[in-house]
Amino acid sequence: MTFMAKSYFRLDRALTLGLAQPVSRVSRRFSRCRIPVLMYHGISNDIGMSHPYFETNTSTVVFKHQMQHLHDHGYKPINLDVAVRMIGSGTCQQGAVVITFDDGLRNFYTQAMPILQAYQFPATMFVVSSFPGNSIIVPSDRKFMSWSEIREVESSGIMIGSHTVSHPKLRNLKPRDVERELKDSKQAIENQLGRTINAFSYPYAFPEQDVVFQGRLREYVIAAGYGHGVTTVLGSVHETSDRYFLPRIPMNEHDDAKLFQAKLEGAYDWLHMPQLIYKITHERFRTKNLSNKEQRQKSSLLTDI
């Protein structure tokens, strides 16, 4: 089955299909273990006007076509725990793929779960522990599942993980607040489900350019009791991937059948390098601006004396 996405010229799509995909099909022969971890957010018809790369919603129709594509092409969805064990042992199942969702939006319960159940596909959902049932903190079109709905989802075979307590930019927090976001969310979810959870999802763009913060964060994640975690870093999971900061492949409304298949094959992974270069460049620009600001403030103080 084929499906169409909205018509946009996309340089990332052109390079992926024209250059990266032929190369990836050759390189795959030499890779013993590679698992695509798909990253979804909302399953909703509320599609924004931003560039397709930044869209976070996928309509119900397109999501259903994508799941049909997995079924028709022999892919075998597994939950994240199983994928981590496969990567650790280096014995990946042919066609293995992980389907993940961030935030715990209610449209997962109403739109995505019935489709997943129809294909008997497992998935992994990361919930923000303070959001379930809280209709005050978000607009009406971004409601979150209640705890009873999350328990129903979990009992149907959907693995639940943590997405922090309040969905903050962790890098901007004090160390004790980072620890609280990790530990308290895990405890709250476990109290509601009555079982241990092992997975954590980092909110917002992952600051992979900051190796010092990344090292501290790994310590916090391990201390909180998580066995593994995922990020927004673009790429497929390999045997050498850091189990606490696994990469994922972003999915949305604008992924037509050809691009969707290319992403599954790892042909979209090339975009990680431009993504990292942008992060490093932006970080240096930000640091330079802060330094200049501090110098101006010092000059102003000396002038006032």
Side-chain angles (χ1 to χ4, degrees):
M1 177 180 290
T2 60
F3 53 96
M4 299 296 294
K6 292 184 178 179
S7 178
Y8 293 93
F9 172 74
R10 296 180 57 178
L11 181 59
D12 60 330
R13 181 183 185 277
L15 292 175
T16 296
L17 299 183
L19 295 176
Q21 190 171 39
V23 173
S24 70
R25 285 177 173 173
V26 174
S27 62
R28 271 192 305 164
R29 301 172 187 173
F30 305 97
S31 177
R32 289 196 306 155
C33 201
R34 186 194 69 81
I35 300 177
V37 179
L38 311 184
M39 177 176 63
Y40 290 94
H41 286 80
I43 303 302
S44 167
N45 296 325
D46 184 20
I47 307 302
M49 298 300 293
S50 60
H51 187 279
Y53 178 81
F54 299 104
E55 179 61 59
T56 58
N57 280 336
T58 306
S59 68
T60 306
V61 171
V62 169
F63 180 70
K64 184 175 182 179
H65 283 318
Q66 290 175 350
M67 297 303 101
Q68 181 70 46
H69 184 99
L70 294 179
H71 176 270
D72 292 347
H73 289 76
Y75 285 92
K76 300 175 178 61
I78 55 177
N79 70 36
L80 191 61
D81 282 352
V82 175
V84 170
R85 288 198 295 270
M86 285 185 178
I87 291 295
S89 64
T91 55
C92 291
Q93 179 183 7
Q94 183 68 27
V97 60
V98 180
I99 306 168
T100 70
F101 297 81
D102 282 2
D103 300 336
L105 291 165
R106 193 168 189 275
N107 55 43
F108 172 82
Y109 178 79
T110 59
Q111 306 299 322
M113 192 170 74
I115 296 171
L116 293 169
Q117 289 178 325
Y119 291 102
Q120 297 184 330
F121 284 171
T124 303
M125 164 60 72
F126 296 99
V127 301
V128 184
S129 64
S130 68
F131 285 5
N134 191 339
S135 60
I136 299 176
I137 57 177
V138 291
S140 58
D141 62 343
R142 280 182 58 82
K143 291 183 178 179
F144 296 89
M145 289 186 288
S146 66
W147 281 117
S148 62
E149 289 167 340
I150 293 172
R151 285 190 288 271
E152 182 182 343
V153 163
E154 196 259 353
S155 66
S156 72
I158 304 299
M159 175 184 149
I160 304 298
S162 165
H163 201 35
T164 71
V165 173
S166 60
H167 203 285
K169 293 184 177 180
L170 293 176
R171 191 182 178 211
N172 296 342
L173 301 183
K174 295 178 180 179
R176 65 175 179 271
D177 293 326
V178 175
E179 292 182 280
R180 181 185 64 81
E181 288 283 342
L182 299 176
K183 290 182 178 179
D184 289 4
S185 61
K186 187 174 189 294
Q187 182 176 0
I189 295 169
E190 290 177 343
N191 288 343
Q192 289 290 339
L193 299 182
R195 69 173 64 191
T196 301
I197 64 167
N198 295 315
F200 172 75
S201 175
Y202 188 93
Y204 294 106
F206 186 70
E208 57 183 315
Q209 76 280 7
D210 189 341
V211 294
V212 175
F213 172 77
Q214 188 171 332
R216 291 200 301 265
L217 181 62
R218 180 184 289 101
E219 294 176 358
Y220 298 150
V221 170
I222 294 172
Y226 296 101
H228 44 267
V230 296
T231 68
T232 56
V233 172
L234 201 157
S236 303
V237 172
H238 295 267
E239 295 163 279
T240 57
S241 297
D242 186 333
R243 67 186 297 169
Y244 296 106
F245 305 127
L246 297 172
R248 289 186 289 177
I249 304 170
M251 313 304 299
N252 66 36
E253 172 73 8
H254 304 291
D255 294 326
D256 59 82
K258 288 183 178 180
L259 183 57
F260 185 68
Q261 180 59 35
K263 286 185 173 184
L264 291 170
E265 293 178 9
Y268 201 66
D269 294 6
W270 69 270
L271 198 56
H272 172 244
M273 188 51 65
Q275 183 188 67
L276 178 57
I277 291 172
Y278 171 79
K279 289 179 180 180
I280 293 172
T281 303
H282 185 266
E283 181 78 6
R284 289 177 178 174
F285 182 76
R286 173 177 169 271
T287 302
K288 183 178 179 180
N289 281 348
L290 288 174
S291 178
N292 291 339
K293 183 178 179 181
E294 290 174 357
Q295 289 297 328
R296 287 194 299 270
Q297 289 174 341
K298 288 180 180 179
S299 298
S300 177
L301 287 172
L302 290 173
T303 303
D304 293 338
I305 293 176

